[in-house]
Amino acid sequence: MLTWWEGIYDQVFVALHPFYRIRKAKTLASLAGKEFYEDVLPYDDRPENFSDMIKSRGEAVSWAAVHQAVAPDLPRGKVYLAIWLLACIGYQDRAGIDLQKRLTAYCKENRLYLPEDDGLTAILEPVVQEFLSCFGCAQVTAWDEFRHHSDTVTPSVFRKAEPCYLLTQSITSAAVWGLHLPDPGILMTWSLDGTEAIIAMTNKALQMARPEDFFEGWYADEGTYADVFNPSGFLPRDQ
């Protein structure tokens, strides 16, 4: 990715979509621990306003915390590969099905949803708003998946108090798949079956705000490709 954006952006940050759980709408003082959260709903049972529920009552849980709880003896790359594949595809031999079953059991026990894939996830909208507000921008361009449609919006549309922002004219998913702020130079992109945002930034932008202060993740190095969780040898590479 650094080679792809060389001369345009100076750093690229991989920002993970977090695990999350949803606080109960009416909580009693007697509730504690897991009882404070809603049970995980199967996909077919989720209401139409589910994304708004996530945005207003969701609580993020980091990949690092799940890694430490489920498999602290295993390297990050192995655990994160298993999480990504579980969230996007399901059980895969190459991820270690036993490990994936342990992750599934932990999520069920703790009422955790896996990280959401594809476009900007509801749990991150308020974080994106906080991040963009650091740059003093009045407007940002929001793009759909294939860049056929865009809207110019204020970062305030992503605030926690607002409903989830959708690009309703999109020909595919109505989620945001790209955010562009040409000055000071920030591009946030999402991809199909991705559980992360890729944030490309100029040095000028980095002097104003650091993505690691807002998102869980890491900076890309020379060996980081767009399929960030795959081992570098998984696919033939040009470089």
Side-chain angles (χ1 to χ4, degrees), residues 45 129 134 156 162 169 188 195 201 210 218 230:
D45 295 339
Q129 187 271 325
C134 296
S156 63
E162 301 292 335
Q169 297 181 44
M188 301 183 69
T195 53
M201 301 178 67
R210 308 289 296 188
W218 60 89
N230 274 324

Side-chain angles (χ1 to χ4, degrees), residues 138-164:
Q139 294 179 323
V140 61
T141 303
W143 289 94
D144 69 356
E145 182 177 8
F146 293 111
R147 308 304 190 259
H148 289 146
H149 176 70
S150 67
D151 278 345
T152 301
V153 300
T154 62
S156 63
V157 300
F158 301 116
R159 290 187 307 168
K160 195 177 190 69
E162 301 292 335
C164 282

Side-chain angles (χ1 to χ4, degrees), residues 10-206:
D10 299 296
Q11 295 283 354
V12 177
F13 188 82
V14 178
L16 298 172
H17 289 181
F19 292 79
Y20 64 91
R21 48 196 172 192
I22 300 176
R23 297 186 299 275
K24 290 185 175 179
K26 295 182 179 179
T27 55
L28 303 175
S30 60
L31 293 179
K34 288 175 285 190
E35 297 305 315
F36 188 76
Y37 303 99
E38 302 276 6
D39 290 329
V40 173
L41 290 174
Y43 185 82
D44 290 341
D45 295 339
R46 298 175 189 180
E48 289 186 8
N49 67 338
F50 186 68
S51 292
D52 293 335
M53 289 172 54
I54 298 170
K55 187 173 178 179
S56 62
R57 292 191 276 124
E59 179 180 288
V61 176
S62 70
W63 292 46
V66 173
H67 177 189
Q68 185 61 34
V70 175
D73 54 318
L74 295 178
R76 187 184 78 172
K78 181 176 179 62
V79 176
Y80 284 19
L81 175 66
I83 292 171
W84 168 57
L85 289 171
L86 188 61
C88 295
I89 301 174
Y91 292 107
Q92 293 278 300
D93 286 335
R94 68 186 181 96
I97 290 178
D98 178 66
L99 171 59
Q100 288 187 308
K101 287 182 176 179
R102 288 158 61 190
L103 289 163
T104 298
Y106 180 81
C107 288
K108 182 177 180 180
E109 180 183 355
N110 291 277
R111 302 183 179 182
L112 275 182
Y113 289 87
L114 288 164
E116 293 188 349
D117 59 342
D118 298 339
L120 172 58
T121 175
I123 193 71
L124 275 188
E125 279 199 20
V127 186
V128 167
Q129 187 271 325
E130 293 175 5
F131 177 61
L132 293 177
S133 70
C134 296
F135 305 102
C137 57
Q139 294 179 323
V140 61
T141 303
W143 289 94
D144 69 356
E145 182 177 8
F146 293 111
R147 308 304 190 259
H148 289 146
H149 176 70
S150 67
D151 278 345
T152 301
V153 300
T154 62
S156 63
V157 300
F158 301 116
R159 290 187 307 168
K160 195 177 190 69
E162 301 292 335
C164 282
Y165 176 74
L166 298 174
L167 289 160
T168 55
Q169 297 181 44
S170 173
I171 62 173
T172 57
S173 162
V176 171
W177 292 71
L179 288 168
H180 185 218
L181 188 62
D183 186 15
I186 304 156
L187 177 66
M188 301 183 69
T189 66
W190 289 264
S191 61
L192 180 68
D193 288 343
T195 53
E196 75 289 332
I198 301 300
I199 308 176
M201 301 178 67
T202 63
N203 284 332
K204 179 181 177 181
L206 285 162

